[in-house]
Every structure is written in structure tokens, then in C-alpha cells.
Amino acid sequence: MQQLWVGIDAGKTHHHAVVIDSDATRLLSRRVLNDEAVLKSLIDDVLGIADGGQVVWAVDLNSGGAALLTAMLAAGRQTLMYIPGRIVHHAAGGYRGDGKTDAKDAAIIADQARIRRDLQPMRVDDEIAVQLGILTSRRTDLMRDRTRSINRLRALLSTYFPALERALDLSNVKGALILLTGYSTPGAIRTIGPTSLEAWLRKRKAYNASGLAAVAAEAALAQTIRVRGEAVAAQVVSSMATDVLDLGARLAALDGTIEAVFKSHASAAILESMPGIGPLLGAEMVAATGGDVSVFGTADRFAAVAGLAPAPRDSGRISGNLRRPRRYDRRLLRVAYLSAQLSVRSCSESRVYYERKRAEGKRHTQAVLALARRRSNVLWAMLRDGTTYRPGSSACTGGCVTPAAA
């Protein structure tokens, strides 16, 4: 029996696997199709070479094309390590040769798994966490599509009707988009008049129809010149406004689905009890952590992964130089920052801590990050112990910014 290390350079359609022993001797090098039958054959061959010995698998992707392989290894109770591609890239400089091939990368992955002692087994996310990861990623895509569409709509509207573009809040007011689906030129708005326009908006359930009609009428009176191409541009604006409204409806439906799935997770009540965390931010937290914070080990490690623990950059006689780490989970940082910012409004202890940091001369962003760092200790302890947040209780002495059991 011998211990083997298997490095997998993962891809979308094919993977390359290299097996090495304790002396870094290559025992197998194979390019395999990302197919269940082919991957099962590879796993069986590697286990056959090991002949009952321990096998450690390492891969440079933890999602995407490596998902099938990861699921098969988890089902077979195999030890799997994750080595990010960035680490593989930097490690390649310490190996002979300047060439780059999938086989070389797989060998480097296997050798890094053999010699490193700081790697942790890849966690297997629970079913709800995986679902929330898919749903929140989709929500991010729709939000970006909506933002891009609104920016393009504003740019086009400003070319022929700048007064109306300045007057409308297209990002936050649904009624403004409803207005543009039917009336987006000075002449059309002047023709219908504010009274009829208000009735038209009310019929389509636009909020503050009278205010919108008045704003549109005022903008139309301010511009009497007709810009060339106005008619075609207005048609495109109407179509784009309809698309943005459709994206808004799809986002609302998706938010409902995310909330329903999130509510079914065991940590939902704990996360929502924390000031500043609602269903959407809670869903992102579950998706980012895989539904289990125990994999981080300590509250400090949890904060470091979230990008809330500064990393030292000391050299020579320079010391105490702290900066944000280069590698951190941006989803966790987003949840931590936004929830801390929201908690300033809803949690008196957070407000006091934030104001103290501001009084010390910190900028708004710095004060919120400091608050997020303190809150991460409490959140980690709550999830570890399975307890909800209770203001002023012994479980969270000093409120929502003072760690107790962390």
C-alpha cells in the first residue's frame, strides 16, 4: 500500500489527471473527458494503483466544469483538496521549464497537495446552499442587466430629450419607466397634456401619477426644438423601458423564490435575527459559506476569508503597515459591509460603535468596515452555537458589535 496524490487540471470539456507517489514519481498521466463513465474509470484505475493506500485528490476548480468530478469524489468518500489556479500559477515558477501544458499543471497541483500542510479538504455544500448559490448568481446577472439597460436608456433619452432625462429617476421609480413606454417626446407630452397624462399613468398603476405628469409636462414645455431621429429614438426608448420593467418583474419573482428557499435553511432564523441581515443578504451568506461556518475553524479565519482582517505588509524597519488582503471572498465582504451599514440605522449599539469610529477620524467606509469586523465575530459565534441574536443578553454582551463566545 502506498499514499498517492492526484492532481486534476480541470476544464469545461476535458480534465487532465496526474498521479504521483511520495517521491513525486508520476504513476499515471491521462486526459479524460468530463463524462461520468470516463471519470469513474479514472477513479477506479487510481484506486487500483493505490491498492488500498490513501489517495488525496486535488483540483484547481471548485465549481463549473469540475462539479461532476467533485460530486463523484464526494459520493466515493474520497479526500479532495482545492488549490486555486492563482496558487498553481505562482507555484509553476518553482518548477523546471517555461512551457505550460495541462499535464504540467496537473503535476504541479498534485505536488502542491503532497508538500503543503495548510490545505483543507474541500467542503461539500448542502443542497439548499447550492440552490441559493445558483439563485443569487442569477439575481446578480439580472441586476447587472437592468443597470446596463437603464444606463443605455438614459444615454439615448438624453440625446433628444435631456430635460426629461434629468427630471426622471429611472433607477428607483417604476412610474418613470411606465411613462417612457408611451410618452417620451416633448411633442407627444404637450399634445396629451398633464391631466390626460395623469389619467393614463393612473390606469397603469403608476405611483405618484400626478407628480410624474407634472414633471413630464414641465420638461416638455422647456424644449420646443425637435431633434433629428427623435421618432425612431422614442420607439427604442419605449422598447428599452418595457425591457427594464420586465427585468424588474423577473427580479421580484426571483426574490420571492430566494426568500422561500432561504427560509427552509436551518440557519435562516439565526441570520435574520442579526440586525441588518434580511432574506437576500442571508441567502448570499448561506451561498458563500456553504451553509456551515465550522469549516472556517475560528472567528478570525472567518473574518479573514471575508476580507475584514487586515494583512501586514512589513519589510525591514517598516512595521505596522496593514492593508486589505489580496485574496478574499467578495460575496462575504459584500454581505458583511451592507449588513453593517444597514445595522447602523436599526441597532443602537452599532450606531454607537460607528459614531465612535467616526469621532476617531475614520472615514465612513473605514468605520463601516470596522463595525463589520466586530459583527463577524458575533455572527460566527451565533452560527457556531445555533443561537439567535438577543440584544443585551449574555450571548451577545454589549449588543450586536461585541463578541461574546467568539
Side-chain angles (χ1 to χ4, degrees), residues 16-171:
H16 200 105
V18 169
V19 181
I20 62 173
D21 59 15
S22 57
D23 296 324
T25 302
R26 293 193 190 187
L27 305 180
L28 181 147
S29 179
R30 182 185 301 174
R31 186 172 186 263
V32 295
L33 181 68
N34 189 15
D35 176 80
E36 181 177 353
V38 179
L39 292 176
K40 185 179 184 304
S41 176
L42 170 67
I43 294 173
D44 291 341
D45 290 347
V46 172
L47 295 179
I49 296 173
D51 193 23
Q54 183 182 4
V55 179
V56 176
W57 300 74
V59 66
D60 62 344
L61 286 179
N62 58 3
S63 61
L68 176 59
L69 173 64
T70 301
M72 293 179 67
L73 292 174
R77 299 184 181 278
Q78 296 293 304
T79 302
L80 177 61
M81 305 291 185
Y82 169 54
I83 302 180
R86 180 187 180 93
I87 293 179
V88 178
H89 171 73
H90 288 294
Y95 291 82
R96 183 175 59 187
D98 294 331
K100 182 188 181 305
T101 64
D102 292 343
K104 180 180 179 180
D105 288 345
I108 293 173
I109 294 170
D111 198 42
Q112 288 294 299
R114 179 181 68 91
I115 63 179
R116 294 187 63 153
R117 296 295 179 265
D118 59 340
L119 299 177
Q120 296 293 327
M122 184 186 295
R123 69 170 189 256
V124 178
D125 296 347
D126 62 47
E127 180 66 22
I128 297 176
V130 173
Q131 293 177 17
L132 289 175
I134 296 171
L135 293 172
T136 54
S137 295
R138 177 57 178 163
R139 187 180 190 276
T140 299
D141 290 340
L142 290 179
M143 286 293 295
R144 289 173 177 170
D145 290 343
R146 184 177 184 275
T147 300
R148 281 193 293 265
S149 297
I150 289 176
N151 289 339
R152 291 166 181 164
L153 191 157
R154 296 186 72 97
L156 181 57
L157 182 62
S158 65
T159 61
Y160 72 92
F161 200 172
L164 186 61
E165 189 275 330
R166 288 193 303 269
L168 297 180
D169 183 0
L170 300 177
S171 299

Side-chain angles (χ1 to χ4, degrees), residues 102-339:
D102 292 343
K104 180 180 179 180
D105 288 345
I108 293 173
I109 294 170
D111 198 42
Q112 288 294 299
R114 179 181 68 91
I115 63 179
R116 294 187 63 153
R117 296 295 179 265
D118 59 340
L119 299 177
Q120 296 293 327
M122 184 186 295
R123 69 170 189 256
V124 178
D125 296 347
D126 62 47
E127 180 66 22
I128 297 176
V130 173
Q131 293 177 17
L132 289 175
I134 296 171
L135 293 172
T136 54
S137 295
R138 177 57 178 163
R139 187 180 190 276
T140 299
D141 290 340
L142 290 179
M143 286 293 295
R144 289 173 177 170
D145 290 343
R146 184 177 184 275
T147 300
R148 281 193 293 265
S149 297
I150 289 176
N151 289 339
R152 291 166 181 164
L153 191 157
R154 296 186 72 97
L156 181 57
L157 182 62
S158 65
T159 61
Y160 72 92
F161 200 172
L164 186 61
E165 189 275 330
R166 288 193 303 269
L168 297 180
D169 183 0
L170 300 177
S171 299
N172 303 308
V173 180
K174 181 179 178 181
L177 294 168
I178 295 175
L179 170 67
L180 293 180
T181 60
Y183 297 92
S184 61
T185 64
I189 294 175
R190 285 196 300 268
T191 299
I192 189 174
T195 302
S196 298
L197 182 57
E198 178 183 346
W200 185 86
L201 289 169
R202 287 187 185 280
K203 184 178 179 180
R204 286 155 181 80
K205 296 180 173 56
Y207 179 75
N208 191 22
S210 59
L212 278 173
V215 167
E218 183 179 356
L221 292 174
Q223 180 175 330
T224 58
I225 297 297
R226 183 180 182 279
V227 179
R228 291 183 178 180
E230 178 185 278
V232 173
Q235 293 177 6
V236 175
V237 163
S238 175
S239 175
M240 294 174 71
T242 301
D243 291 343
V244 174
L245 286 171
D246 178 63
L247 284 171
R250 292 163 65 187
L251 275 168
L254 182 59
D255 287 350
T257 302
I258 291 174
E259 182 173 357
V261 175
F262 170 69
K263 294 286 188 182
S264 65
H265 194 271
S267 301
I270 299 173
L271 289 170
E272 285 194 289
S273 70
M274 189 72 168
I277 296 183
L280 294 180
L281 287 180
E284 290 192 34
M285 172 68 76
V286 172
T289 61
D292 182 15
V293 298
S294 63
V295 296
F296 298 102
T298 65
D300 291 339
R301 176 61 179 165
F302 176 63
V305 173
L308 298 172
R313 292 290 187 271
D314 297 342
S315 179
R317 290 180 291 180
I318 299 176
S319 62
N321 187 17
L322 300 176
R323 298 181 182 178
R324 179 178 294 176
R326 292 183 179 179
R327 298 183 295 275
Y328 57 90
D329 192 315
R330 282 162 175 76
R331 295 175 300 173
L332 279 178
L333 178 61
R334 179 178 182 275
V335 172
Y337 185 89
L338 290 180
S339 63

